[in-house]
Amino acid sequence: NAGVTQTPKFQVLKTGQSMTLQCAQDMNHNSMYWYRQDPGMGLRLIYYSASEGTTDKGEVPNGYNVSRLNKREFSLRLESAAPSQTSVYFCASSRGLADKNIQYFGAGTRLSVL
Amino acid sequence: ELKVEQNPLFLSMQEGKNYTIYCNYSTTSDRLYWYRQDPGKSLESLFVLLSNGAVKQEGRLMASLDTKARLSTLHITAAVHDLSATYFCAVDSTSGTYKYIFGTGTRLKVLA
């Protein structure tokens, strides 16, 4: 019953460092998403992948890149971290646009950029 | 541009009372969702509403959708402490560029 697994759970970076957040789902879902959550701003979509082999920008894509490695895995990369990227990051997956598209979320990654 | 607004942002209520959370969205949407988030935790799906007039209920929570008014409500009946959480509505739309947009959330605190 793993669902959506994110790693790491916590990370502290210095400005300019790079890192990759990993996400994997075991529900055979077609679509995957990356969000950031900041106080008072709800969840904002960074990137999504409607299906394996495709990725598209969301509301706030600047400073991030993604890779849909296969159907199970969707990674988020920060090439040069900035303090403004301090946030909680959530990965989610869903069956896809043709279905009810309920999203299932991972536990989140708490990232601090100093 | 698809925008989703919730009100109130914060809600403190006594146990046993009723209240409603409102979710307004700006453009045509295919589906309307409600999620719950406990402090420091992830989000869990509560309801998905697919058509005008749709109503879903589970326990003390009831969600409804009016697509003509672009409005969804989450009604809480006889609140209990366990309902304390942040509630988010979200909409998605396949019109034009696909979007899945969350509201800012309503932080609910139920006082004993």
Side-chain angles (χ1 to χ4, degrees):
Chain A
N1 293 336
V4 179
T5 303
Q6 288 183 239
T7 56
K9 287 185 169 50
F10 301 93
Q11 184 71 48
V12 179
L13 293 178
K14 295 180 179 179
T15 297
Q17 288 185 317
S18 62
M19 77 162 295
T20 300
L21 281 65
Q22 306 287 353
C23 176
Q25 52 91 9
D26 63 2
M27 296 175 280
N28 199 35
H29 283 169
N30 293 311
S31 301
M32 298 185 74
Y33 311 80
W34 276 106
Y35 293 91
R36 59 178 290 171
Q37 184 175 30
D38 302 295
M41 301 191 72
L43 277 78
R44 291 182 292 170
L45 182 64
I46 304 171
Y47 272 93
Y48 68 96
S49 172
S51 60
E52 185 179 359
T54 69
T55 60
D56 285 286
K57 296 178 180 179
E59 298 174 84
V60 288
N62 292 343
Y64 305 94
N65 286 299
V66 291
S67 296
R68 183 77 182 264
L69 304 171
N70 47 57
K71 192 171 186 178
R72 290 187 64 248
E73 298 173 289
F74 189 38
S75 63
L76 178 71
R77 182 159 178 85
L78 287 69
E79 290 290 352
S80 179
S84 61
Q85 294 178 305
T86 294
S87 189
V88 180
Y89 291 86
F90 286 100
C91 176
S93 70
S94 69
R95 289 184 179 178
L97 301 180
D99 205 314
K100 291 180 180 179
N101 216 24
I102 294 170
Q103 295 194 0
Y104 297 82
F105 286 81
T109 296
R110 284 153 181 77
L111 175 66
S112 292
V113 183
L114 306 177
Chain B
E1 182 181 353
L2 180 55
K3 293 185 178 180
V4 182
E5 294 182 347
Q6 285 182 241
N7 67 83
L9 298 182
F10 300 97
L11 178 56
S12 180
M13 57 191 298
Q14 297 287 332
E15 277 193 330
K17 298 294 186 181
N18 303 332
Y19 209 83
T20 300
I21 299 170
Y22 297 89
C23 174
N24 291 275
Y25 54 96
S26 60
T27 62
T28 301
S29 170
D30 294 313
R31 291 164 287 226
L32 191 293
Y33 308 84
W34 284 96
Y35 290 86
R36 169 181 171 148
Q37 184 180 35
D38 292 312
K41 302 293 185 181
S42 188
L43 282 79
E44 294 183 347
S45 172
L46 292 173
F47 303 108
V48 55
L49 302 167
L50 301 176
S51 60
N52 188 44
V55 176
K56 294 285 184 71
Q57 182 166 6
E58 182 162 339
R60 301 174 188 274
L61 300 177
M62 183 175 72
S64 65
L65 178 63
D66 181 344
T67 58
K68 294 180 181 178
R70 295 177 184 164
L71 171 68
S72 180
T73 61
L74 181 65
H75 187 73
I76 303 156
T77 302
V80 293
H81 179 72
D82 286 351
L83 290 179
S84 296
T86 299
Y87 294 86
F88 292 93
C89 64
V91 299
D92 73 352
S93 174
T94 56
S95 298
T97 303
Y98 172 69
K99 297 287 187 184
Y100 200 113
I101 305 296
F102 279 80
T104 52
T106 296
R107 186 180 299 176
L108 172 65
K109 186 173 184 179
V110 181
L111 305 173

